[in-house]
Amino acid sequence: CLEKTGDKDSAVSAYKEIIDLKSYTYYTFAARNALERNGVDAGLEMINTEVYPQNPDIVSLLPEVYGDLFNEGNNSDITGTTGSGNVQDTQITSNQDEEDMVFTHIQKAKELLIIEFYKSADAEIEASSKEYENDDYGLLQISTLYLLAQDYIGSQKVISKNYTKLSGSLTSPYKDYFYYLMYPYGFRDYIDRYSAEFGVDPLFLLAVIREESRFDPGAVSYAGARGLMQIMPATGKGIAGSLGINGFNNDMLLDAGTSIKMGAYYLKKQLDSFGQNKYYACGAYNGGPGAMNRWISNFGNKDIDEFIEYVTYDETRNYIKKVMGSYYFYQMLYQKP
């Protein structure tokens, strides 16, 4: 409003106040975009992108988390591609009786991750989590173990449950890594495969999945939407026909690969229908293309930030903000320079 009434100085001041909150929400990035539009440096604090979980140098960058992530003696790649079948238990010297060894839940989880027994590891991680409630680095390690167990829900829950404490006490580079745990690149193989197949930005696809299901393949909404991308059964049946998927049934939507393939296809349709405008496309994905066409017809002449406020569905209005906020943040974390 200040900008539109010509009070540029006050507008810039207000935008900077939003940036200074460092909340990394939709409004943070909307304020950044507005400042850049006015030729002003936003001063948005960037993330140290060296601490992404797949970095081969992650052990030296985050020793408090990764230094003892696996038990001594294990020969594994801890950046996400674990070994298979080459398990070495915690080293036992010749004068030790293996029956006398006592393994903690966390030690068991680490061993199970090596051999890719993710569900069993998940149970051990859950059993050990209370031991680390007052240990910031321990909480990051627990979340990391969930991440490696491909339990993205468990990984995010550890962070969200302790968000206030961790966000207030962690410093760089651990604070930067904290954000990677909040915004995981989950189901990478499927994301990369189907984003390339259908020509959708993988980071946009990730943002939609994060806000739809928090990466829970078994998510089912009160309205009946299912899976990672929360596809309604009737929509899924239509997509299956278009993609030549035979024998469609509702349970197929709970399969991670199928959900991402169908969701990427449907999201691409919305992008094509709305001129590659991601705001319109994700709004149509949530509220339906018919509703989005009505809103564009009535309010499409307004700036996008103002347009969003005219979206008449509360859920869709908030959904657009959440998805686009996540999308911009995913760009900060994962987009190559």
Side-chain angles (χ1 to χ4, degrees), residues 63-65 68 106 110 128-143 158-159 162 165-166 169-170 174 181:
E64 297 289 349
V65 174
D68 64 344
I106 203 69
K110 293 172 182 179
S128 68
S129 59
K130 290 185 178 180
E131 300 172 18
Y132 296 87
E133 287 181 346
N134 298 313
D135 178 357
D136 289 353
Y137 297 131
L139 288 168
L140 292 182
Q141 188 176 81
I142 291 291
S143 181
V158 172
I159 300 302
N162 299 278
K165 181 167 79 78
L166 291 173
S169 62
L170 291 173
Y174 294 93
L181 295 172

Side-chain angles (χ1 to χ4, degrees), residues 244-316:
I245 298 174
N246 298 320
F248 174 79
N249 63 74
N250 293 349
D251 287 342
M252 293 174 70
L253 297 174
L254 301 178
D255 174 73
T258 302
S259 182
I260 292 173
K261 181 176 184 176
M262 287 186 169
Y265 168 83
Y266 189 68
L267 194 59
K268 171 63 171 175
K269 282 191 64 177
Q270 305 316 310
L271 285 164
D272 288 346
S273 294
F274 295 101
Q276 305 304 311
N277 185 308
K278 291 182 174 65
Y279 293 88
Y280 293 166
C282 70
Y285 188 95
N286 176 265
M292 180 53 67
N293 276 315
R294 289 196 302 273
W295 296 323
I296 293 173
S297 177
N298 291 329
F299 314 115
N301 62 330
K302 300 184 182 300
D303 293 340
I304 193 63
D305 299 316
E306 188 176 358
F307 170 84
I308 292 170
E309 302 305 329
Y310 282 90
V311 169
T312 55
Y313 297 172
D314 290 345
E315 179 184 328
T316 302

